[in-house]
Amino acid sequence: GAVVSQHPSWVICKSGTSVKIECRSLDFQATTMFWYRQFPKQSLMLMATSNEGSKATYEQGVEKDKFLINHASLTLSTLTVTSAHPEDSSFYICSAAPAGRAGRDTEAFFGQGTRLTVV
Amino acid sequence: LAKTTQPISMDSYEGQEVNITCSHNNIATNDYITWYQQFPSQGPRFIIQGYKTKVTNEVASLFIPADRKSSTLSLPRVSLSDTAVYYCLVVVNSGGYQKVTFGTGTKLQVIP
């Protein structure tokens, strides 16, 4: 089946620094990728939709200047958490659907997630 | 967006069949119902997807009544490794791509 890979799997950073998380579709092209955040014992919250070659679309309440998204190719989207604070500590997950097949009857493939801890 | 409602948690003994029901009263005509499984500190994993009636694969069955306002995920003979959170999702087609919004999920605890 299709594979979506995230890197790193976990990261610890100091407060005030920036952290970049990569999301790659390994065996398919994805014009659109999605970024989620999940706090302990809670569900996934959609943060933004990453569009290849154009600006990301952010969900209400998500600061676009803090969570920078770049989708430079059909297989890579990056999420940069800028000036990280302890409250940004969370589990970040990306997902993607194959280009040309995206639609209501297509499953989305999820990465394994990235555990961010800001100290 | 179609909102989903499912039980927060369920317990089951090993070897039993588990049925998790989800309601999605305002599902749109062309929306599909999809179920995902998530283990701690992992991304969600696709289980099954359907539009109406019944769908079966190697791991689960999905029952959808004619009005499509609810669906039931059936896991046959669960084992301890099936302990996870199960999410019922309505797949929304937004601007030509797939936008997936998660509800609360059902935490299934399988007991020996």
Side-chain angles (χ1 to χ4, degrees):
Chain A
V3 178
V4 174
S5 177
Q6 281 184 242
H7 178 81
S9 297
W10 59 270
V11 58
I12 302 173
C13 72
K14 291 185 176 181
S15 187
T17 61
S18 296
V19 174
K20 180 186 287 188
I21 302 170
E22 293 185 348
C23 178
R24 294 181 185 272
S25 55
L26 298 185
D27 52 0
F28 66 94
Q29 294 183 330
T31 55
T32 304
M33 292 184 176
F34 305 92
W35 287 96
Y36 295 82
R37 178 168 55 181
Q38 185 175 34
F39 292 108
K41 300 188 185 303
Q42 293 187 24
S43 184
L44 286 77
M45 285 177 39
L46 180 64
M47 298 175 66
T49 302
S50 172
N51 304 299
E52 188 267 335
S54 64
K55 290 183 179 180
T57 304
Y58 291 82
E59 296 298 304
Q60 190 173 9
V62 178
E63 300 175 58
K64 60 182 179 182
D65 294 331
K66 181 168 184 62
F67 299 100
L68 301 179
I69 292 173
N70 183 275
H71 194 151
S73 77
L74 286 173
T75 59
L76 174 64
S77 174
T78 60
L79 169 67
T80 301
V81 183
T82 63
S83 187
H85 291 282
E87 56 265 33
D88 297 324
S89 298
S90 188
F91 192 54
Y92 292 86
I93 307 170
C94 70
S95 74
R101 285 174 47 198
R104 292 169 177 148
D105 58 342
T106 303
E107 65 177 277
F109 300 96
F110 288 81
Q112 74 272 30
T114 298
R115 174 75 59 193
L116 169 63
T117 303
V118 184
V119 298
Chain B
L1 296 179
K3 181 181 176 182
T4 60
T5 304
Q6 52 185 122
I8 297 295
S9 64
M10 293 180 68
D11 291 339
S12 175
Y13 287 103
E14 261 191 306
Q16 289 190 330
E17 177 184 80
V18 171
N19 295 309
I20 306 174
T21 298
C22 175
S23 65
H24 24 79
N25 291 319
N26 57 343
I27 187 170
T29 302
N30 294 326
D31 288 336
Y32 278 68
I33 299 145
T34 311
W35 286 79
Y36 283 84
Q37 175 192 56
Q38 186 184 28
F39 297 111
S41 296
Q42 293 187 27
R45 185 175 72 101
F46 174 88
I47 300 176
I48 197 166
Q49 184 180 72
Y51 182 78
K52 62 180 179 180
T53 64
K54 178 183 175 181
V55 178
T56 298
N57 61 23
E58 61 276 8
V59 298
S61 294
L62 178 60
F63 299 92
I64 305 169
D67 66 7
R68 303 195 337 115
K69 293 183 183 300
S70 67
S71 60
T72 300
L73 174 72
S74 181
L75 304 173
R77 298 182 60 79
V78 294
S79 63
L80 296 176
S81 61
D82 293 318
T83 294
V85 178
Y86 292 82
Y87 292 97
C88 161
L89 310 171
V90 171
V91 178
V92 180
N93 192 349
S94 175
Y97 50 76
Q98 187 186 65
K99 183 174 179 176
V100 177
T101 303
F102 284 79
T104 59
T106 297
K107 182 176 171 60
L108 172 65
Q109 180 69 51
V110 179
I111 307 165

